[in-house]
Amino acid sequence: MKIVLVTGSAGFVGKNLVETLRLRNDVTLTTFDIEDHYSILDKALATSDFVFHLAGVNRPQNEEEFRTGNAGLTEEIVGALQQQGRVVPIVLCSSTQAAQDNPYGASKRQAEEAVFAYGKATGSPVFVFRLPNLFGKWCRPNYNSAVATFCHNIANDLPIQINNPNQTMTLAYIDDVVAAFIAALDGKTTIHDGYAVVELVHTINLGAIADLIQGFKNSRFDLSIPDMSDLFAKKLYSTYLSYLPTEGFSYPLKMNVDTRGSFTEFIRTPDRGQVSINISKPGITKGNHWHHSKNEKFLVVSGSGVIRFRKIGCHKIIEYSVSGEKLEVVDIPTGYTHNISNTGENDMVTVMWVNEPFNSEVPDTFFQPV
């Protein structure tokens, strides 16, 4: 059982890492954050088998806090370990700004130098991550993350400001960062030029990020979903959802209701088709049409009924019994007129997928009784 210390445990990166570590049964977790007394840190360092040093300062009241909060705290940590005669692996959460000539970058670079010196003096493995901009759940908006601010503001109907939409951003997703940190704990770190790295990063401009997030908001109205084959869009969508106001998790759909039941579109995509929910009253038959190219899948999830087919130009009728008691997908082939009848005593609920959203100008739907 490893005793693992996480400094900066209440911050964006720290919280995500801590909650991931809590899921492991081979780790005893100790945390330290800005509200804690330094005596807690000294005691934790005396017993820890591994240190994730994530604590730092990036928005100080004065520049001197960069020095004390970044370089100074790091020097105290490695100094305490050396004084105690302890050889403990350390992960340092640094920044790409460490390569820049500014007060924040200089303080991060000094923190790196302290960790590298500790590793050289003791032989302990040390892992310095120069992280780019980060995004993901629990990141504080209107602070130092454009992605967090865009997600929060758009989700809450607030304006966003973009001074340069063409500004290129290099971003790492929080889950990828945590995975790289955990790899260090497990001895599987990727090192490039002496620095530990998060192997997967994304490069995109600010305007494109804002457009994607606005598209996520609009998806509730046009019923679209993001392209999940785009890894950045997939991660950004997960991030956006975490900023929804608590009273806004749900959204209504337009139900087309008549005496037969209802038909409600749920998802519409240009490349993955359309998903709808069909509710049929007892004794009701819907359909009696066929398609040249359009194809569908029916899945009855509640109630019972029968789906009937007849190939165009033939007289033979094919029947499939369907029921929510036994979930079974029925493909609706092209060139077959078909219908679905509720033969039970209660409403029958069917999930219907079609390979393309309905287009009234080219419906590819032709009435013909089965």
Side-chain angles (χ1 to χ4, degrees):
M1 183 75 70
K2 285 184 179 179
I3 301 175
V4 175
L5 168 63
V6 179
T7 73
S9 55
F12 167 45
V13 179
K15 184 176 180 180
N16 278 275
L17 176 61
V18 164
E19 294 306 321
T20 301
L21 289 171
R22 289 191 200 281
L23 301 175
R24 293 179 61 130
N25 56 16
D26 61 344
V27 164
T28 297
L29 186 62
T30 305
T31 62
F32 174 80
D33 204 71
I34 191 170
E35 302 297 331
D36 296 323
H37 193 274
Y38 267 73
S39 61
I40 294 176
L41 179 59
D42 288 337
K43 291 178 182 177
L45 289 170
T47 58
S48 296
D49 301 310
F50 198 100
V51 175
F52 288 101
H53 179 34
L54 315 181
V57 172
N58 53 33
R59 284 277 184 105
Q61 295 295 320
N62 58 74
E63 288 187 1
E64 177 56 26
E65 292 181 51
F66 280 135
R67 162 71 189 145
T68 58
N70 293 328
L73 178 58
T74 305
E75 289 166 356
E76 288 183 28
I77 288 173
V78 297
L81 289 172
Q82 285 183 290
Q83 186 176 9
Q84 296 165 3
R86 310 207 64 235
V87 179
V88 179
I90 299 176
V91 165
L92 175 65
C93 184
S94 186
S95 165
T96 53
Q97 287 290 310
Q100 302 300 315
D101 186 18
N102 57 58
Y104 173 67
S107 68
K108 282 295 190 181
R109 190 162 58 250
Q110 290 167 357
E112 293 178 358
E113 291 167 355
V115 169
F116 282 130
Y118 168 76
K120 184 177 181 180
T122 64
S124 175
V126 295
F127 311 97
V128 175
F129 285 84
R130 281 189 170 181
L131 298 177
N133 294 289
L134 306 181
F135 71 105
K137 65 185 183 299
W138 304 333
C139 186
R140 179 177 170 186
N142 300 304
Y143 185 59
N144 65 348
S145 167
V147 172
T149 301
F150 289 176
C151 286
H152 172 269
N153 286 18
I154 291 174
N156 289 275
D157 297 319
L158 299 172
I160 62 171
Q161 180 177 342
I162 305 176
N163 296 324
N164 179 10
N166 294 318
Q167 179 180 341
T168 299
M169 301 287 289
T170 300
L171 298 157
Y173 183 52
I174 188 60
D175 287 7
D176 296 327
V177 172
V178 169
F181 285 179
I182 296 297
L185 177 64
D186 294 335
K188 302 175 182 177
T189 315
T190 300
I191 304 291
H192 288 164
D193 297 326
Y195 290 90
V197 297
V198 179
E199 294 191 78
L200 183 58
V201 295
H202 306 274
T203 302
I204 186 171
N205 65 48
L206 275 175
I209 293 172
D211 289 344
L212 279 170
I213 298 170
Q214 188 62 58
F216 300 157
K217 183 179 181 66
N218 295 341
S219 69
R220 288 187 164 195
F221 306 100
D222 62 23
L223 305 184
S224 63
I225 57 174
D227 179 3
M228 295 298 173
S229 66
D230 180 334
L231 286 180
F232 178 74
K234 180 180 180 181
K235 296 168 184 177
L236 186 63
Y237 184 60
S238 295
T239 302
Y240 167 76
L241 292 179
S242 73
Y243 289 89
L244 290 175
T246 54
E247 70 277 9
F249 289 174
S250 67
Y251 58 100
L253 296 173
K254 182 179 181 296
M255 296 181 67
N256 301 290
V257 181
D258 59 26
T259 57
R260 302 174 303 161
S262 66
F263 183 82
T264 306
E265 293 182 16
F266 174 32
I267 293 172
R268 290 175 63 94
T269 68
D271 59 336
R272 294 293 190 271
Q274 174 180 312
V275 178
S276 304
I277 307 300
N278 183 73
I279 300 177
S280 299
K281 297 293 183 182
I284 292 298
T285 296
K286 292 185 177 181
N288 285 318
H289 58 239
W290 64 281
H291 314 289
H292 279 299
S293 296
K294 184 182 295 185
N295 53 88
E296 302 165 287
K297 293 179 183 289
F298 288 1
L299 172 63
V300 171
V301 296
S302 181
S304 58
V306 60
I307 301 175
R308 298 182 177 90
F309 300 88
R310 181 175 60 80
K311 191 174 185 178
I312 298 303
C314 298
H315 299 290
K316 182 181 179 181
I317 295 176
I318 303 163
E319 294 188 354
Y320 280 81
S321 295
V322 288
S323 170
E325 297 298 318
K326 181 186 177 183
L327 297 185
E328 188 173 13
V329 176
V330 178
D331 275 317
I332 311 299
T334 55
Y336 281 82
T337 187
H338 54 276
N339 62 32
I340 181 169
S341 299
N342 184 347
T343 59
E345 298 179 355
N346 301 307
D347 286 356
M348 181 176 65
V349 181
T350 307
V351 178
M352 295 181 170
W353 172 86
V354 60
N355 67 318
E356 59 185 34
F358 179 74
N359 182 348
S360 59
E361 296 182 0
V362 189
D364 189 17
T365 301
F366 309 97
F367 175 76
Q368 188 167 141
V370 175

